[in-house]
Amino acid sequence: MDKTTRILVVDDSKVMRGIIRKMLAALPGVGVVEARDGKEAWELLRTQAVDVILSDWNMPRMRGIELLRLVRADPGLSKVPFLMVTAEAQDVNHGEADAAGVSSYLTKPFTSETLRAALAPFLP
């Protein structure tokens, strides 16, 4: 039996989470878990295993970069691929995320094909 790849989608926009969920539904063997912000995602990661994290950068309560730092500092989560989704294409943001150990980036807006390509290295 094939294993489902669980992707945690973290975004404060319900609409954006829905768009990403719909895009991911087209990929075979992918399951989606959602969180509204980094704080909710961190709480979820304490109790549920995921295979990939796809997180927005700008969110209330806890930004994506803060979540990335927590994930990389946790021995049980540090190897989980972390893709940062952002409308911020500034070099300083990329540098900060690179230093924190980001796996890849997606710049908004993106297409299903761009999302699939970004996730491809992390899917079976």
Side-chain angles (χ1 to χ4, degrees), residues 6-51:
R6 289 174 46 94
I7 299 177
L8 172 58
V9 176
V10 188
D11 200 303
D12 57 315
S13 167
K14 183 177 182 179
V15 171
M16 193 66 200
R17 289 193 315 270
I19 290 168
I20 294 171
R21 178 183 281 280
K22 189 171 185 173
M23 289 178 176
L24 292 173
L27 301 176
V30 169
V32 177
V33 182
E34 295 181 22
R36 294 173 293 185
D37 58 40
K39 186 172 180 355
E40 185 175 288
W42 183 244
E43 291 166 3
L44 185 144
L45 288 167
R46 309 313 308 145
T47 61
Q48 295 185 42
V50 300
D51 301 298

Side-chain angles (χ1 to χ4, degrees), residues 38-97:
K39 186 172 180 355
E40 185 175 288
W42 183 244
E43 291 166 3
L44 185 144
L45 288 167
R46 309 313 308 145
T47 61
Q48 295 185 42
V50 300
D51 301 298
V52 178
I53 300 167
L54 185 66
S55 177
D56 188 25
W57 184 292
N58 290 314
M59 297 177 287
R61 298 198 315 158
M62 183 189 296
R63 298 179 314 140
I65 190 69
E66 296 168 77
L67 176 62
L68 172 59
R69 289 184 183 119
L70 286 172
V71 167
R72 290 298 179 247
D74 186 290
L77 298 170
S78 65
K79 302 292 185 207
V80 174
F82 195 111
L83 285 76
M84 191 68 74
V85 179
T86 181
E88 312 278 334
Q90 301 167 348
D91 289 340
V92 67
N93 289 353
H94 282 239
E96 187 177 1

